[in-house]
Amino acid sequence: MEHTEPQKTVLSRGNGRMVTLEEISDTEACTLPLLRLAQEGCEEGRCQVARLPVCPLGESGAPGLFVSLLVRPSLHAQMAGRLSAACAVATLRAIEQLSDIDLRIRWVNDLFYRARKVAGMMASASLKPNGYLDYVVLGITVNLSEDNFPPRLGNVIRRVFNGETRPLPTCLSEGIVREFFSIYDRMATDDGFLDEYRRRSLLLGQYIRVLVGDTYLRGRVIRIDENACLEVELHSGARMTVTSRSEVLF
């Protein structure tokens, strides 16, 4: 069998830095090869993309897109939620640039259109001995159902760049990567993405249940803090901070 080299695209990240976006197969995506590369010391800015014949989100049987990104942020583990929030906002922006749907974020980083889950995300991280992040691999799955991308744009949505016709997965994956690194590279000085994250939240003002010990405590979400953690007011009037490691029922 002839071996085919994976297709790679180099995108400008600004300030002279670049991002390498590599196409992988859907079967490779299941093994998250970028995580192995991170463990082997691969530098920040490596990204991989796979087209999924059937998206694992929902039961529509529609195709999907998987994008993974490797970063090595100078962040303490307590601030890791900022990366998930940035990933959610970046994906939301990229999708809305290609469709007329209005997305909302269900904490921590799932994207919903009405009652449908359009995109889901996960993060795998490694810590240094001092508690700072060594690396984080972010994985994003998007459901490419026609319900999420209206037919007027085509179910193989095309955009014209310099006369070149390009399919939806290519436009979307590059859009996600560009939007993410646009946020990521300014994260230390610009919290604007968190304001957008809060505006799009489905949970602000809503009641949730949080597992504490063996008991679920019910409270209302009153704030999303600077690390994308939930501040919850319990019936007793006490307040608690809920991180992404907590078990939460919506």
Side-chain angles (χ1 to χ4, degrees):
M1 180 180 297
E2 182 180 353
H3 178 70
T4 303
E5 288 295 323
Q7 181 177 339
K8 294 183 180 180
T9 303
V10 179
L11 305 176
S12 175
R13 179 174 158 181
N15 299 323
R17 289 176 290 183
M18 310 300 287
V19 175
T20 301
L21 185 59
E22 175 186 7
E23 281 198 26
I24 60 175
S25 69
D26 60 296
T27 53
E28 287 179 302
C30 297
T31 64
L32 201 59
L34 196 54
L35 185 57
R36 295 197 302 273
L37 292 177
Q39 294 165 349
E40 295 168 0
C42 181
E43 64 183 15
E44 175 179 273
R46 188 76 171 267
C47 306
Q48 293 179 333
V49 57
R51 304 185 188 196
L52 308 177
V54 178
C55 182
L57 303 179
E59 300 177 355
S60 66
L65 178 71
F66 177 77
V67 180
S68 59
L69 310 94
L70 167 60
V71 291
R72 294 186 180 274
S74 299
L75 291 175
H76 194 276
Q78 294 177 343
M79 303 176 69
R82 293 172 66 86
L83 292 172
S84 291
C87 192
V89 171
T91 304
L92 178 151
R93 290 176 179 175
I95 291 174
E96 289 189 350
Q97 287 169 7
L98 292 166
S99 181
D100 61 358
I101 63 176
D102 184 24
L103 294 170
R104 291 292 181 265
I105 302 169
R106 190 178 75 177
W107 185 82
V108 177
N109 50 20
D110 289 336
L111 301 185
F112 276 76
Y113 172 53
R114 297 175 179 170
R116 295 198 306 272
K117 186 174 179 179
V118 174
M121 295 155 223
M122 52 76 68
S124 298
S126 176
L127 299 182
K128 298 177 181 178
N130 63 2
Y132 277 73
L133 294 166
D134 179 18
Y135 65 78
V136 179
V137 174
L138 298 157
I140 306 151
T141 303
V142 182
N143 188 331
L144 298 183
S145 165
E146 287 187 18
D147 291 335
N148 302 331
F149 297 89
R152 69 178 181 82
L153 294 177
N155 63 352
V156 287
I157 300 175
R158 299 179 179 90
R159 298 182 74 188
V160 177
F161 295 89
N162 300 321
E164 179 185 4
T165 300
R166 310 178 76 203
L168 168 62
T170 301
C171 297
L172 185 54
S173 59
E174 292 183 9
I176 290 171
V177 170
R178 285 196 174 100
E179 290 290 347
F180 175 79
F181 280 102
S182 174
I183 295 170
Y184 175 79
D185 288 335
R186 300 196 305 269
M187 189 177 291
T189 57
D190 185 353
D191 276 350
F193 74 98
L194 280 174
D195 293 334
E196 185 170 0
Y197 183 84
R198 295 179 182 110
R199 286 196 306 271
R200 300 296 191 106
S201 172
L202 287 169
L203 289 192
L204 277 175
Q206 302 300 311
Y207 283 91
I208 63 172
R209 289 188 291 165
V210 183
L211 182 62
V212 178
D214 297 325
T215 305
Y216 279 99
L217 301 181
R218 190 168 186 263
R220 185 171 62 90
V221 178
I222 59 174
R223 180 173 172 262
I224 298 175
D225 72 12
E226 63 278 3
N227 294 321
C229 298
L230 303 180
E231 186 174 337
V232 176
E233 184 176 64
L234 304 176
H235 285 308
S236 64
R239 295 186 179 184
M240 66 181 296
T241 298
V242 179
T243 72
S244 59
R245 296 185 299 274
S246 305
E247 184 174 331
V248 175
L249 297 179
F250 304 110

